[in-house]
Structure formats: C-alpha cells, structure tokens
Amino acid sequence: MAFTTLPNAGPNTAVTVPRRPATAPAWHHVDLLVIAAAAAITAIGVLMVYSTTRIPLGVAGEDPESQMKKQLVFAVVGAGAFLATVFFDYKRYLSWAPVLYVGSLLLLLATIAIGRSTLGATSWIQVGSIQVEPSEIVKVSLILSLAALLASRKGDVSGRVLIVVLALSVLPFALIYKQDALGSAMVLAVVMIGMLLMAGTKGRHMIALALLAAIAIGGILQLGVLKQYQKDRLLTFLVAPSGVGSSTSSASPYAANIEYQLGESKAAIADGGLGGKGLFKGTETNLSYVPNQSTDFIFTAVAEQFGFLGSGLLLALFVLMIWRSWRAAVLSRDLAGTLICVGVLSMLTFQVFENIGMTMGIMPVAGITLPFMSAGGSSLVIDWIAVGLVVNVSMRRLS
Amino acid sequence: MRIRATAVLVVIVCLFATLLGRLWYLQGVEATTLPALAVEGQGIRTVYIQAPRGEIFDRDGVLLAGDKIEQVVTVERDQALAHPGLVDALSALLGQPSAAVQAAIDNVQYSPYQPVPLPWPVGEPVVLAVDENQELLPGVSVQAEPVRYYPYGAETANIIGYVSQITGSEYTQDKRQKCGAGVPCYQAGSQVGQVGVEASFEKYLRGTPGVEELQVDSQGNVLGRLSYTPPIPGDNLVLSISLTDQSAAVQTLAEYLAKARGTLDQATNYTHDFRAPAASMVAEDPRNGQILALATNPDYNPSDFLGAGISSAQWAYYQNPANNYPTIDRAVSTPYAPGSTWKLITATAMLRYGLRTPATYYDDLGTYTIGGQVFADNDNQALGWVDLQDALAESSDTYFYSVGGVFYQDYDAGRQLKAPDPLQSVASQYGLGHYSGIALPAESPGLVPDAQVVAKEHAQYPKDYPDGVWEPGDEVQEAIGEGQDEVTPLQLANAYAAFANGGTLYVPQIALAVEAPGTGNRANGKILVRFFPQVKNHVTMPSAYEQAAILQGLEGVVADQDGTAYDAFQGFPIAEYPVAGKTGTAQVSGEFCPYTDCGPNQVPWPEYKQDTSVFASFAPADSPRFVVDAVFEQSGYGALVAAPAVAQVYKTLFGLNKPTVCGPSDATTTTSTTIVPCIPPSTTTTTAPTTTTAATTSTGPNGAPG
C-alpha cells in the first residue's frame, strides 16, 4: 500500500492537492470492501440477536423473532442513512457542523430533562414510537465539528485552538457523564485525542494532554467523584475470577452482579472452544445465562456458537473495516477528510476493543455497544452513518 | 504526519492482536479446564423419581404392606409466591388452617422443581373443585400418588414397621449408596423403612429411582426434557408370618390383658388389680425356625408415621410412660426373668452332667437352704417326693433349687472353669444371652448371669451392685429362672424349639423369600431370593431316653391333673393335639408390704411390681410343628393368664377356630373369615389403664374385640 498524496502538515507548508481532471464519477471509487465488511458484520449481528433472544421471548410468550425483526428494520434504516450520507459531498456536512453540534447538545440536555433510563444510564428519549439515543448522535456531530474546526487550521494547532477543542469536547462529555453513560463519554474522549493527533497537534501538547488525562483518571477514581457502582463496574474486571460459578466475596451486590456477568461471559467464550458449539447449540447463549447478551455482550454469542475460528473471523472483519477507514484517511483529498476518517476509526477501534475486551475480562465493564452487532437502533444507524462518512471521503479522494 | 499515521496503524494492530491473544487463551487454553466444563452442566437439572416400593405379603400371599393410589393436591411453589391469596383459597378448600397449608408448601424436604404435595388426602368433591376452579387456583392440581398403606395396621405393625421421610442424619450416612447404574438411592425427602422388615429388607423393597434430565434456563424455566429413565419398582417380600395366626395372637393378648386387669392380685392381699400393662407372644415352627406370629401389646398404628412424619401430639402419646410405649416390640426387645420356664434348661443341664437321673426322687419339703439363705417353693407348698416328671409337671422349685445348689458347689470347688458353669453353658447353647439373629432391628440379647457378669457389674456400678462375688443364691435363683436371668419371649420360643426338634437351635426366620414385583398389590410368584433355614447352634442333648423323660414331664404340665397348666387347657383337645409346655410365674419385686413401715425385702405399693405370667410350649408333643410362648407383664400366675392364652392360640394354629381377622381397613373383597375394621390405637384422648382399684375393662390401645 503506497501513500499517494499525503497532506503535509507543517506550519509553513501550503497544502496542495494535485488537481486531476474529473475522469470518473466518484461512484466508481466507492470502497466496496468496507461496505462488505460492515454489511457482513451487520448480518452476523442480526443472526446473533436472534439466537440470544428467541428462547427468552418464547418463554415469555412473545414472538421469538420480534427482536431480530426489529434489528432488521434498523439495518434497513441504517442502509438508508448510509446512502443519504454518501450522496452528498462531505464538504456540505462540514458546513453544517455548528448546527449539528448545538443541536446535539440540546438533545443531550433534553435527555437529562425528560429522558428514560435503562441499566442505570438515563440515555434515551422517546420520540413517538422510536427510542433515540442522543449520545450516539453526538459522536458523529463531534467528529464533524472537530474536523471542521481543525481542518480550517490547516495543520497548525495552537494552544488556543487546543483549548477550544477541549472545551467543545468537554461539554458533551460532561452532559453524557451526567447521564451516567460513562462508556459513551470515553468514546468522545478517544475521538478527540485521535483527531487531535492527526490534526498536527504539537508533540509536547500531546504529552501534556496525556498527562492531564492520567491525572484526571486518577483523580476521578480517588476523589469519589464516581459513584460506588461506577467504580465497581470499572474495577471488578480486575478481580473477577475466570470461569463459571466461582466468585470472590465482593463488597457490594452490584459488584457481585458484575462478577457473575463476567463469569458467565468468559465461560460462554471458553465454551466455544476452537470450532464453537454450533448455531443455537451454545448452552450459555441459548439458555440465557449471559446477562445483556443481545446488547453489550453480543460477542459471547459468536464466541460460544462459532468458537475461536468464528470469533477470529469476526475480528478479521472489524480489522478489515478499520483498515479501510485508515486507508481512506491516508488517501483523503484534504485534511478534513482525513480527520473525519480518523475520528470514525478511533470511535470504531475503541468501541470494538473495549466491548470485546470487556466480554473477555481484560477491559472494564462500560456500557458500550459492539458496532454493527449489538441490538439497538440508534447505534446501528449511527454506525452506518459513520461508515457512510468514510466511504464518502474515500470515494471523493480523486475529486 | 506519516509517522503518526503509521503509529496509529501500529496501535490498531496491537489492540487487535491483544484481543486475539486473549481469545486464544480463553478458547484454546482454558476451554478444557474445569470452570469452562462447568458450563455444560449449567442448563441441566436432574430430577429423581422415587420408585414404587416393594410389597410385603404373609406366607399365604395376603398383602400386609402395599401402595395405595391416593389423590393428593399439589401446588407449584412459584405460583403460591406469585398469588398471595392462593394459600387462603387452599385452606378453605381443604379445611386446614392457612398456617398449616403455608408450612406444607414451604416444606424444604420437597424439590423446588416439582409441585409440592399437600399431606391431606382428598376425596372426589375436592378433586372436582380443583378441576373446575383452575383460574382461582393457579398452579394447583391433583395427582394420583402412591402412598404406603398397611391394610392390617396395628396388628402387624411390630413386624412390618413403617416408612417415613429420610432424616438428616440418615441421609448424610446413606447418600452415597448407589442403586443400579450409579443412580443415588436416596434424596432429601425419600421414603425409607425405619423399623421392622421395612427397615431390615430396605435394600430389596426400595427399588431404583428413575432419572429425568430437564433443560432449564437461567431463570429456572423448564425448556424441555432431555432424557428419562423410568424407575424400577422394588421387589416384594414374602414373610413367614401367617396373618390368621398373627390375628389370633394379637386378639388373644388383648383379651387376656383385659381379663387380668379385672382380676385382683392375691399377692397384694387383694387390694389391687393386676396392672397387666403389656404382653407378647411368639409362634414359631421348630422344624425350621420360621416365625408364624409375633405379637406385642400395646401396639401402634404405623400409618401415624407415614408421609412427612408423625405429629408431635401422637409422638408424645407414644412416648408417655403412662401409655406403656406401644412402639416397643416386647417379643423381641424386652427381656424378662422367665420364671419356671427356665427349668427346661436346668433339667437339660442336670441330665447332661449326670447330677440326677429322671427317676431319682427328691423330697420337696417346701424350702431349700443354701449358704445360710432359705429359698421357698411358691407359697411354701411342699410337694413331697417328686421325680423329674413330677417336678416339671407340678413345678417343684426346691427340686431345681437343689440342682442349682449342686452346680454351685461344683463351681465353688473349682471342678470346672470359673464361669460359665454347666448350667450357664447349657443356657448359652440354647441361645440365651445371645442375639438370635432374627432380621428385625432392636433385638435384645438378654442375659445369662454368671460369675464374670457379676464381677463386671460390680466393677462398673459398685453402688448398684455392691456384691461382686457369685453367691450360691445367684446360682439357685438362676436355676428357676429368677434373679438376673433375662430372656426375651423370642429367645424363650427358640430354646423350646431347640428342645422340641432334638437339639437344633435355628436362627428365627421372619422372611421366606424375595419375589419380583407384581402388579396391583398381587404376589408375583417369581422368586428372586429364597431364605433357607439357618442353624445357629447345636444343643448337646442328654440321651434319647432322658430327653423323652423331660418331654413326659412337660406333657404332664398340661395333661396331669396335678399339672400346673391342666386347668388352663380344659376344653382343648389334648388327646388329639398333645401339648407339652411349662408355666412360669416370675417374681419381680420382693414381698408386698401393705403397710407404710416395711421390712428389708418388702416393697409397698406403687413401687411393688407384680409377677410376670409366662408359658412356653410346643405341640403336638410327639412330632412338634408349633412352638408358642406368651409373656404377660404384671399379670400373676403363668397358669392363670399366659397358659390359657396360649391354649386359645393353639386352636387357631390347629385350624380349630378361625379368628375374626381385623381389616383390611377398606376391604372390597371377602374372604372366608369375617372381616371387621381395624380399630386404630387411640390418640391422646384415651387414658392408659394403670392404677385402678375398681375392676375396669378399659379398651386397650388395640381395641380388644372380646
């Protein structure tokens, strides 16, 4: 893989993009691989949602396929959103950035005011018969906003700009934190860091930022800013023993629940062995032993039913998708496009790593969904929009 | 910039490599370790189904213990939790207090995966009500359940015993037992035989539990059945007992106890009736040791113990001394001084060791003196010159005292081993002082006192046994069955059987065979295990002529006009069925003292214990087929109570008299005998017959029909 045109980010370098005649329409340069990867992962996700929900729904007397059908509908909506995203040149979205940013902040405020909660996080609002999760929307709006701001600096990120970026990121971070959706807040932080890195922030500023982050994390954990259950959620994975059934005597029932969840999760994964138990044949998956299996712990369904080979394949699909996003970032025609792709791949990488790592007991439990797989409409649609942005950038690299 | 982009890619690759590595660890390395394997068992619940229990029949195939199908109301625990009004609805339906219904539902003995059965049997109306009101009674249904059932109730209770739920300590002990193909025999809540043959033949009767494997999700919802192995019913047991003989014995005991209670005791100067609190009787076949009847009074209702166990009120009744402990089988567990029935032992020893010949005459002067002590005949009656036959027939105490005296002198002179001396070793050969080996729990081995026993008693309890030396009085008392002699009615019967058959002491046999399970409470007939007569010991007998002399003496007890049991057998056809036996009247307390200031050997009322009435016998005397003995506590002369009781039972044994058989309690078939319903032993409301001065015929716990 070769770099073709690489925007030189330096204070005195003018960014020049060789102009080429518009030989072929952008549609000819659509990156099919990334679409295929995303589509494959979505399809696996639908199947996994089915396998994890059909028995509990059946036992409760409802249609066992209902969750799967919902997920299919969301997939179709996501496909539609993807097409819409891809249709217009991303320059247009950059010009909407301020509106999007303020709009998503308002939505966050609305969630705090009138939002509903699940699992301790007040994170979604009911619009008619649809549940909308603004924390998902704010991911994309922040990516676009930061891309617009940083691209206009043309690679020169001064200290003042840094502060502005921090301020822009902290606002939604704080609002999401207020909703107790700690995981989503961390995604924003990662997105911000990734985009800052590729926008040309000076090395020393990056180091200062890293130190700040470390102090902040340490301070948060020590000063009791986090509630006990949040601490439990974050730290239990360090002490939870592996395997089924065993548990250390934990201080709080919340921690005990987490331990149980992690224990079942790891056991389900281990049960998959090399080749998996087979579709619908996993004991844990099909007998509802893993809590929240259709959402945060959906990976365990793949792991148990398809084993190491199947999970490896899924990881490969994610790697493919992320690599193509990285490639789009590198090949982009302008800094803005690069930053958009970097934002998207930071988001995807962090979510995948945190979610799958959590199910395997090497990352803290933070309620983040697995992109394209977890049951849930908002995240699926937003993920497709994100992929849409990447495809958008990559197919217009030659324009 | 290029560096940064590459750095980002490297970070991404590292992260995914970490994920893959951890995945490999969990799925490759840990997959085969124990925690992962535990996952396999998580969704499976194993439920054990108790097997139908084997049935118990008498020797003629009459059912003595079986399973009856009863309608039982069952409740699903989670429904009871989800619907708080359910308990009250059930309480109204069953007519039981709500607290009792709740306690029954919460009974931890029952598995949480199966509906809990409520312990009150229900009839048709309740079954219909449950059927028609399912909306008001969610999770409630009626199941046909096999329930253990004893058709003859108290009559056979001491032999059959009962089953009840396995206790905590029993379960801890037995839970590792496997019944066929690795299935554990017992769960919490299993029914186990506790006493009687239900206990001693438990391994045959219990069968093999069935196994059901259910697929269960994490909420406990049953999703399906993975496998089912049906239970294997237990094998049937055929006893040596004959129900007609048993019934005769049981009713005779009740009848004669009642009579005794209505008779004034001469020994108390006619100031008190006989207490007659308890009695027992054994009927045995001397040719093989098979037990035909084993009766005890008072007896108990085995159904009290079924199900979840006996109620505390009923248990208090059984444990109250005033009710004379109906749960004790006195035929097997209670040893008595057998009185003059011991003289068979003494006579055997006397002849074997050549102390006297049968024809040697002895002058019975009414008293015998040895070691400075005077021992008297009953009422100091002098019988004059008696030979062996007379001494047995008329029960001369001094004849046998003197034999004891000679044995003592030989012992004292060191002419044989210190102990046991000839009298005691003959007693031991006859099985006295040893367990008989009958397949029933709680047997007492009795006691044959000798010098060693006395020395040990003194060493262990010096206050109670101040004299550790074997005295002449001890030997002399032993010779006529008094003193510390302890013999159970079963041992007494075994000893007389050994004499009757010429010297073979058999292990008394209570079961004849184990049969394959049948259907519908009928005997199957296919024998799996046959129990053969087992010889326990051989009694070295004197010569045939000398044995015949003893036999003649025993026959004389019944046939001679001077025989002590002559009157008792009036009306019995001894010409066709000659009976040989021996009466015994065992003194328990010293002399009765009617006043407040009493002499050294005198005992006032109520400490005074009245004489034990004993009779042991076999018939027909020329070729014995039956041995029957009876022991009546505190009932007076052997000749007046025990002997006529035995005579009455012989009538049944010889087929001269069909008793009215009590039960079965809901018989739908008729047999050749008249059936009357069994009257269950009374509960806490009845007072036990104890100290009464007026003659009362109280109904004993067996509900005497006579």
Side-chain angles (χ1 to χ4, degrees), chain A residues 348-360:
Chain A
L348 289 177
T349 307
F350 178 73
Q351 284 194 227
V352 169
F353 183 70
E354 155 60 39
N355 182 291
I356 297 185
M358 165 185 80
T359 66
M360 297 201 289

Side-chain angles (χ1 to χ4, degrees), chain B residues 362-405:
Chain B
Y362 174 85
D363 192 7
D364 180 341
L365 297 168
T367 59
Y368 175 77
T369 309
I370 184 172
Q373 273 186 292
V374 179
F375 297 92
D377 264 351
N378 185 36
D379 298 333
N380 293 345
Q381 199 185 11
L383 296 173
W385 290 96
V386 290
D387 65 1
L388 175 63
Q389 284 90 311
D390 300 327
L392 284 171
E394 298 166 47
S395 202
S396 161
D397 289 345
T398 57
Y399 181 98
F400 291 97
Y401 280 142
S402 59
V403 170

Side-chain angles (χ1 to χ4, degrees), chain B residues 298-364:
Chain B
D299 49 21
Y300 65 93
N301 185 354
S303 303
D304 287 344
F305 291 88
L306 292 177
I310 188 169
S311 75
S312 42
Q314 194 60 37
W315 181 245
Y317 177 83
Y318 285 141
Q319 296 301 301
N320 185 351
N323 297 320
N324 300 316
Y325 305 110
T327 51
I328 296 180
D329 183 351
R330 285 164 167 90
V332 165
S333 307
T334 312
Y336 301 93
S340 302
T341 54
W342 185 286
K343 289 172 181 167
L344 168 68
I345 318 293
T346 318
T348 309
M350 174 189 91
L351 292 171
R352 254 205 59 202
Y353 285 88
L355 263 56
R356 275 180 209 156
T357 71
T360 312
Y361 275 87
Y362 174 85
D363 192 7
D364 180 341

Side-chain angles (χ1 to χ4, degrees), chain A residues 63-96:
Chain A
D63 174 15
E65 293 171 356
S66 57
Q67 284 285 64
M68 178 190 80
K69 288 181 195 159
K70 262 212 293 195
Q71 190 75 352
L72 271 174
V73 167
F74 291 136
V76 169
V77 171
F82 171 80
L83 288 172
T85 312
V86 160
F87 195 73
F88 300 104
D89 193 310
Y90 60 93
K91 280 190 297 206
R92 195 185 287 234
Y93 304 139
L94 290 173
S95 65
W96 296 348

Side-chain angles (χ1 to χ4, degrees), chain A residues 197-198 201 271 284 288, chain B residues 1 4 22 27 40 42 218:
Chain A
L197 182 69
M198 292 308 289
T201 315
D271 193 39
E284 298 270 323
S288 324
Chain B
M1 248 346 245
R4 292 190 181 190
R22 176 69 174 169
Q27 292 186 317
E40 290 305 315
Q42 252 194 332
S218 61

Side-chain angles (χ1 to χ4, degrees), chain B residues 55 57 61 236 238 515-519 521-526:
Chain B
E55 289 144 355
F57 297 96
N236 293 342
V238 179
E515 286 186 347
T519 50
N521 291 347
R522 286 188 192 290
N524 175 301
K526 177 167 177 275

